[in-house]
Amino acid sequence: MMTRRSTGKTRVARALWYAKKGVAELRPAPLPRPQPGEALVRTLFSGISRGTERLVFNGAVGQSEWERMRGPNQEGAFSFPVKYGYCATGVVEEGPSELVGRTVFCLHPHQDYFNMPAAALVPVPDGVPARRATLTANMETALNALWDGGAGPGDRIVVVGAGVVGLLVTSLAARLPGAEVTAVDVDESRRLVVESLGGRFARAEQAPQDADVVFHASATAAGLNTAIRCAGLEGTIVEMSWYGDKPVAAELGGAFHSRRLKLVSSQVGQVATSRRPRWDYSRRVETAVRLLAVPALDQLVAEEIAFEDAPRELPRILGPGASGLAPVIRYG
């Protein structure tokens, strides 16, 4: 087993790389001493984004998206080999005195120790455990989508797809005063999670109609078409799924035009248009981590694997048809 060691002024950490289609491996990551303004972070957990990282792991990121899909601290390049990931939490071991000993979130790939500019680290509030804080990037996605959809108090809101992102949208929407929030999924086991977050659960055949805003997060054509059917007159469907290089058949016939529906995309790479004049990325991510101070959200972090076991476990976790909520890698 490869261990972290010191070679003079340079330490050697370990990082997870997607080496080729269906293959992950741990590789050494030379780690110099942090420079002024930087911090050394010892990773506690890193979240696996099952949807996005499945596409990366399987080489299904279309070439047209290779540059736009680059992670903030990615190494290598698509399609392979690439060091990818963006949901790390850890403890600052060296750096600015106000951060040393603090738990922080960072958009960093899976790696046991790393250096980062202190300004890129988001302190995690005391009421948010490090394991739950791995959901921060997904909460940013959910928050941005809520802005893109323009959902408000009293609205009838439907979320199609009760995966991690869909459940986070459900959690946020259910906090709107008077909102009626229904999460739609084919997996009956999600019912209790949905209800614990303040929403109602429905199967696709029971999905409510006449919704003011519908969020689609199932990454399937069937889910998208269910979302279209749920929207009321001049309602908005917010498409949150990313399909990689896979074409999607959307049912835009029937009453789509006569009901004057709006189908809009939502993507976390840009702050939502309605907030962009006043919000930057720092304000959004700091808000996202605060919004995780809801103990029921611990249910979304469903499985832990040890960092050393990740190359063996990832083919199962990211394989075709693999289901479940957010897996995390545990370090130390």
Side-chain angles (χ1 to χ4, degrees):
M1 180 180 70
M2 186 166 35
T3 58
R4 177 174 175 268
R5 59 192 183 277
S6 175
T7 56
K9 293 183 178 180
T10 301
R11 304 174 181 188
V12 179
R14 294 174 299 167
L16 180 74
W17 284 73
Y18 294 112
K20 57 185 178 180
K21 183 176 180 178
V23 175
E25 59 189 32
L26 297 182
R27 295 184 178 182
L31 194 68
R33 304 293 300 185
Q35 299 299 305
E38 289 186 335
L40 170 65
V41 178
R42 173 173 55 86
T43 312
L44 298 173
F45 297 96
S46 60
I48 299 168
S49 177
R50 198 187 291 271
T52 301
E53 292 191 55
R54 177 181 284 140
L55 294 172
V56 174
F57 187 62
N58 290 310
V61 178
Q63 188 168 354
S64 65
E65 299 302 306
W66 283 1
E67 285 306 309
R68 281 189 287 267
M69 271 293 295
R70 286 191 64 85
N73 295 290
Q74 174 183 319
E75 291 184 31
F78 295 119
S79 57
F80 300 105
V82 60
K83 183 172 81 172
Y84 198 77
Y86 49 82
C87 305
T89 60
V91 174
V92 175
E93 293 205 333
E94 298 179 36
S97 58
E98 67 272 16
L99 286 178
V100 172
R102 291 289 305 271
T103 300
V104 294
F105 171 83
C106 185
L107 296 167
H108 198 280
H110 310 291
Q111 185 167 315
D112 58 358
Y113 288 80
F114 58 87
N115 292 328
M116 280 298 293
L121 302 176
V122 182
V124 175
D126 291 341
V128 180
R131 188 173 182 267
R132 192 192 309 158
T134 58
L135 298 170
T136 298
N138 285 324
M139 180 59 94
E140 271 198 277
T141 300
L143 178 60
N144 217 49
L146 212 68
W147 290 339
D148 280 326
D155 275 346
R156 187 177 294 126
I157 299 166
V158 175
V159 182
V160 179
V164 173
V165 172
L167 288 168
L168 289 170
V169 173
T170 300
S171 172
L172 290 180
R175 302 182 210 182
L176 294 169
E180 300 175 19
V181 183
T182 303
V184 177
D185 202 276
V186 297
D187 186 351
E188 184 70 28
S189 70
R190 301 292 161 86
R191 179 183 295 275
L192 292 179
V193 183
V194 169
E195 291 174 351
S196 73
L197 297 174
R200 303 169 183 170
F201 178 86
R203 300 288 296 255
E205 60 272 17
Q206 305 160 333
Q209 309 295 305
D210 262 351
D212 298 292
V213 186
V214 185
F215 297 91
H216 177 236
S218 81
T220 67
L224 173 57
N225 292 318
T226 295
I228 290 171
R229 290 192 292 273
C230 288
L233 181 66
E234 298 197 354
T236 298
I237 303 109
V238 180
E239 175 57 279
M240 303 178 65
S241 301
W242 190 60
Y243 303 89
D245 57 4
K246 182 176 68 175
V248 180
E251 295 174 2
L252 302 184
F256 179 83
H257 286 89
S258 63
R259 284 190 286 147
R260 298 177 55 81
L261 301 181
K262 294 181 285 293
L263 179 59
V264 302
S265 66
S266 183
Q267 205 273 344
V268 74
Q270 296 288 337
V271 175
T273 305
S274 63
R275 299 303 191 276
R276 204 173 301 165
R278 299 169 302 282
W279 288 70
D280 57 15
Y281 295 114
S282 295
R283 184 182 176 191
R284 188 180 66 181
V285 71
E286 289 165 3
T287 300
V289 74
R290 290 198 304 271
L291 290 168
L292 290 170
V294 176
L297 293 174
D298 283 333
Q299 300 169 88
L300 276 60
V301 185
E303 178 182 8
E304 285 184 22
I305 61 171
F307 182 51
E308 290 78 7
D309 296 337
R312 183 179 71 249
E313 295 287 352
L314 282 172
R316 172 183 63 83
I317 288 172
L318 300 176
S323 61
L325 294 174
V328 293
I329 296 173
R330 181 186 68 252
Y331 297 76

